[in-house]
Amino acid sequence: MAIKIQRLPSVLRDTGFSRGTLLRRVAAGEFPKPISLGSGRAIGWIESEVQEWLAEQVKASRDESN
């Protein structure tokens, strides 16, 4: 299975977060941590972790409404 990496613009689009909100949630341990993409400042998120996090949010939202 190939690991797919999402860059910041894609994660922001998928979550609807602002950059600041996303980084605060990462720092608070409320969102998956990014990985380093080599030297420099390039980072990305493992797509499956982001999708799993989103699925958990949907499930929690649905459970709260019942």
Side-chain angles (χ1 to χ4, degrees), residues 7-38:
R7 297 298 302 271
L8 181 62
S10 176
V11 174
L12 296 178
R13 184 186 64 242
D14 288 355
T15 62
F17 290 153
S18 69
R19 183 179 184 275
T21 296
L22 177 68
L23 297 179
R24 278 192 297 278
R25 286 189 174 229
V26 168
E30 299 170 354
F31 193 81
K33 290 183 178 183
I35 60 168
S36 173
L37 299 176

Side-chain angles (χ1 to χ4, degrees), residues 1-3 8-10 13 15 17 19-21 24 32 37-39 41 43 45 47 49 64 66:
M1 175 176 126
I3 296 175
L8 181 62
S10 176
R13 184 186 64 242
T15 62
F17 290 153
R19 183 179 184 275
T21 296
R24 278 192 297 278
L37 299 176
S39 62
R41 298 176 5 180
I43 60 170
W45 282 260
E47 183 179 68
E49 291 180 357
E64 289 174 3
N66 287 331

